[in-house]
Amino acid sequence: MPSRSELAARRLVDPMIVEPVAPTRAVQETVTPSRRELANAIRALSMDAVQRAESGHPGAPMGMADFGMVLWNDFLRHNPANPKWFNRDRLILSNGHGSMLLYSLLHLSGHDLTIEDLRDFRQLGSRTPGHPEYGRTAGVETTTGPLGQGLANGVGMALAERALATRFNRPGFPIVDHYTYVILGDGCLMEGISYEACSLAGTWGLGKLICLYDDNGISIDGPVRGWFGDDIPGRFAALGWHVIPHVDGHDPEAVHQAIDQARAFHESPTLICCKTTIAWGSPGKGGSEKSHGAPLGAAEIAATRENIGWKHEPFVIPPEYYRAFDARAKGAVWEQEWNELFDRYRTRYPEVAAEFERRLACGFPPDWENLAWNFIQATQERCEDLATRVASQRALETYGPHFLSLVGGSADLTESTGIPWVGCRPVDFEHPDGNLIFYGAREFAMNAIMNGLALHGGYVPFGGTFLMFADYGRSAIRMSALMKLRCVFVLTHDSIGVGGDGPTHQPVEHVASLRIIPDLSVWRTCDTTETAVAWKAALDRINGPTALIFTRQKLPHQDRTPEQVRAIARGGYVLLDCGDEPEAILIATGSEVQLAVTAARQLNGQGRRVRVVSMPSVDVFDTQDAAYRESVLPAAVTRRVVVEAGVTAPWYKYAGPHGTVVGIDRFGESGPPEVIFQHFGFTTERVVAAVEALFESGATF
């Protein structure tokens, strides 16, 4: 018997069609909506939520509803009662502006997302923000919105799955066995990160990565043929992908067959090209950019309801639809089956199972605190003058072998950034379970893939490049901070100390720009000991990413007491004191600490009382209690000079109204590092003169 919606649709063509007498209750309960009707439920929720919010993107979820419904109902293994179940399939909506597709599916399938949450779409404090946000909405695997990054996150997740499967699976025990699905659109493929990430995915042969391309030919500016004429199937075939072209994205059977085919092909990732119509079902705005980034409007929604035969009020979904989408029962079975499999695995391979559980927890090595602090103290005792990039590698060689979950890599600067450590194993097609990743010259993809590795679980990723090129991957660093991921960004060759490479490679503004990213912890260290502490702090930090800033050039080791060594972890501390209440304070970071120390010793020898504060991490120092901060930087001491080879403006927070900053507010020059530092006034003489000028100006004690 035709459904009510099918009859309604027929009456639009033939008004003589009469709805039959309603069947009995018993018959009603067995009615199952058609595939098209199920997709229409997504369309209705999407257009209603956007209309209620008076803001959003209805066209994308309406166009993706058919293939989204097939993927979710026919293939996706997940448990709505436990969205964090480890062996679930990962699904990423890379074109995050189509968030109502994801929210609708989460709600309909039984996740902790109510109809009231959908009604609160885009409202302050809701669990349905404009773009999906990791940690806010149960079932959202990653924060998406900046186009292309979700796709790159998916590459990281797929790499994690393959690597963990290679390391831990045993015959008859596929404890790591899940797919990563990515839904993406034209905008994701226009962004350059898509090429970077997909090139790596093809090279690595990530066969359990399946991407569904919503090929609707429309962006906010209109039909994309004027600015996006790529042969996408040809492009991805050239990248080593398995491509399924020309799939009707509104034909559920065709989509089902395509996904079946993709799942059976494990030699490489798969791109399924789904041809769709944006805002399918909307008679006035379907296929048009008018449906992309604005509500359809009440009149158009009414016309759409009539056109697709959807007779229900806004936000009303009949029970039979919920029954059709409900994944709670099968999700519970999937998880229970996996739990039973892992119990047998633990019995058969107890040591490997214990390692697997430690990996998933990303916990700390046994006796971690003693191990780390013994190394830090030994570093202090060795008194080595090293470039901090080399000191970083020394720290990795000590910490790395004990952190089973640690995986590092570099954007084609592996040796220069000091990323490899003794015993690390490269990741490649044949050996995906290594812990050293060669990303090639792909800073943006590297950072976004790191985010995917962290999101998947089982890995604490770090990645290295020159500080200058942090700009190439900055958006992914920001997303890492937004999601509070445990990632470590190793950024070497800082400041004008890069020398002969010149201003193109001399990052004068970069440290300041990183420090202002919320929830990103930044360390710029002055010697081997501070570097060892910084690495410990980065590995200890489980609620956000860390950026470690290191030098190309050698730096002198600084003398410290054991108490001072411990104080490094507080972000700022008194490195050199004057034996009495200071008259002036020098604050410095990184390579400029040596200048501050030399200048202070000269001034103290002349009868001044000058303190040196090393502040390797401004954000960590700012979290210390008021009493400690006052003990380091007494408010009464207003003669303050900050020394850092970078832009000056942010430092006036610490210099105060009576202080000054010795820095650089212009681009650098090419030349030997020592000459460049001299040229721009980073000398003991200038620092001494800056302090003396404060005495002469009448700045108060």
Side-chain angles (χ1 to χ4, degrees), residues 576-596:
L576 179 69
D577 221 347
C578 51
D580 203 344
E581 290 296 313
E583 297 175 299
I585 299 175
L586 281 165
I587 306 168
T589 79
S591 53
E592 288 67 66
V593 168
Q594 60 177 317
L595 287 179

Side-chain angles (χ1 to χ4, degrees), residues 253-309:
E253 186 56 35
V255 173
H256 183 101
Q257 290 178 5
I259 298 174
D260 249 348
Q261 181 183 338
R263 285 166 55 92
F265 191 88
H266 287 176
E267 285 72 27
S268 65
T270 296
L271 180 73
I272 302 173
C273 302
C274 297
K275 191 63 182 177
T276 62
T277 299
I278 192 171
W280 186 96
S282 171
K285 297 183 178 181
S288 165
E289 68 273 13
K290 294 178 181 179
S291 65
H292 191 293
L296 296 182
E300 185 64 19
I301 288 176
T304 303
R305 276 182 148 76
E306 184 175 0
N307 189 43
I308 66 176

Side-chain angles (χ1 to χ4, degrees), residues 62-357:
M62 293 174 70
M64 297 186 292
D66 293 295
F67 71 73
M69 178 272 300
V70 172
L71 173 61
W72 202 273
N73 282 353
D74 296 4
F75 295 100
L76 194 72
R77 290 172 63 91
H78 64 116
N79 184 6
N82 182 14
K84 293 297 185 182
W85 167 47
F86 167 73
N87 205 41
R88 69 192 183 278
D89 291 336
R90 274 62 169 178
L91 186 143
I92 299 167
L93 183 68
S94 188
N95 46 344
H97 56 269
S99 57
M100 274 307 304
L101 172 74
L102 182 56
Y103 296 151
S104 298
L105 288 165
L106 289 170
H107 167 71
L108 291 166
S109 61
H111 283 260
D112 182 21
L113 199 67
T114 68
I115 199 69
E116 287 305 313
D117 290 321
L118 302 192
R119 290 171 65 89
D120 282 343
F121 179 57
R122 287 182 167 240
Q123 304 309 298
L124 180 63
S126 77
R127 294 193 291 176
T128 49
H131 293 79
E133 294 181 22
Y134 175 77
R136 180 180 289 271
T137 311
V140 170
E141 299 285 0
T142 181
T143 300
T144 56
L147 293 175
Q149 286 199 58
L151 171 57
N153 295 162
V155 173
M157 293 179 188
L159 176 62
E161 190 275 342
R162 184 165 181 236
L164 290 171
T166 302
R167 172 67 185 90
F168 292 104
N169 286 356
R170 298 292 186 272
F173 293 95
I175 62 167
V176 183
D177 183 18
H178 51 265
Y179 288 85
T180 300
Y181 297 100
V182 180
I183 295 173
L184 55 98
D186 294 315
C188 293
L189 297 184
M190 290 184 218
E191 294 287 353
I193 190 175
S194 69
Y195 179 88
E196 294 182 25
C198 293
S199 174
L200 280 168
T203 300
W204 291 333
L206 300 179
K208 298 180 80 172
L209 172 64
I210 299 174
C211 296
L212 289 94
Y213 167 34
D214 178 32
D215 181 13
N216 61 32
I218 296 291
S219 71
I220 290 179
D221 282 348
V224 301
R225 59 181 177 271
W227 51 86
F228 186 58
D230 296 19
D231 173 7
I232 293 299
R235 170 179 157 187
F236 274 77
L239 294 173
W241 284 55
H242 173 221
V243 180
I244 305 175
H246 313 305
V247 176
D248 183 349
H250 301 300
D251 181 345
E253 186 56 35
V255 173
H256 183 101
Q257 290 178 5
I259 298 174
D260 249 348
Q261 181 183 338
R263 285 166 55 92
F265 191 88
H266 287 176
E267 285 72 27
S268 65
T270 296
L271 180 73
I272 302 173
C273 302
C274 297
K275 191 63 182 177
T276 62
T277 299
I278 192 171
W280 186 96
S282 171
K285 297 183 178 181
S288 165
E289 68 273 13
K290 294 178 181 179
S291 65
H292 191 293
L296 296 182
E300 185 64 19
I301 288 176
T304 303
R305 276 182 148 76
E306 184 175 0
N307 189 43
I308 66 176
W310 188 260
K311 297 300 184 181
H312 312 288
E313 295 296 313
F315 300 102
V316 173
I317 304 295
E320 60 267 27
Y321 286 79
Y322 284 112
R323 286 195 295 270
F325 275 106
D326 195 347
R328 289 173 294 183
K330 59 184 179 182
V333 171
W334 286 330
E335 182 172 357
Q336 180 60 32
E337 290 174 346
W338 185 85
N339 288 337
E340 292 171 357
L341 176 69
F342 189 75
D343 285 342
R344 296 194 299 274
Y345 179 87
R346 186 189 288 112
T347 300
R348 182 78 174 271
Y349 307 102
E351 293 182 0
V352 183
E355 181 189 338
F356 178 75
E357 291 179 308

Side-chain angles (χ1 to χ4, degrees), residues 164 358-359 362-363 365 368 392-393 395-409 419 421 423-425 427 433-437 450 453 458-463 486-488 490 535 538-540 548:
L164 290 171
R358 288 196 299 272
R359 287 287 297 273
C362 290
W368 164 240
S392 169
Q393 190 171 39
L396 275 170
E397 287 174 350
T398 298
Y399 299 152
H402 298 276
F403 265 88
L404 300 177
S405 54
L406 199 61
V407 59
I419 293 302
W421 70 93
C424 63
R425 306 179 315 281
V427 171
D433 60 331
N435 52 10
L436 176 64
I437 302 174
M450 285 169 55
L453 287 164
Y459 288 100
V460 177
F462 66 96
R486 194 180 181 189
C487 296
V488 184
V490 180
W535 259 110
L539 295 173
D540 282 345
L548 302 177

Side-chain angles (χ1 to χ4, degrees), residues 429-449:
F429 181 83
E430 299 295 332
H431 305 92
D433 60 331
N435 52 10
L436 176 64
I437 302 174
F438 293 95
Y439 289 100
R442 301 180 179 94
E443 293 86 359
F444 196 0
M446 175 179 72
N447 292 351
I449 288 170

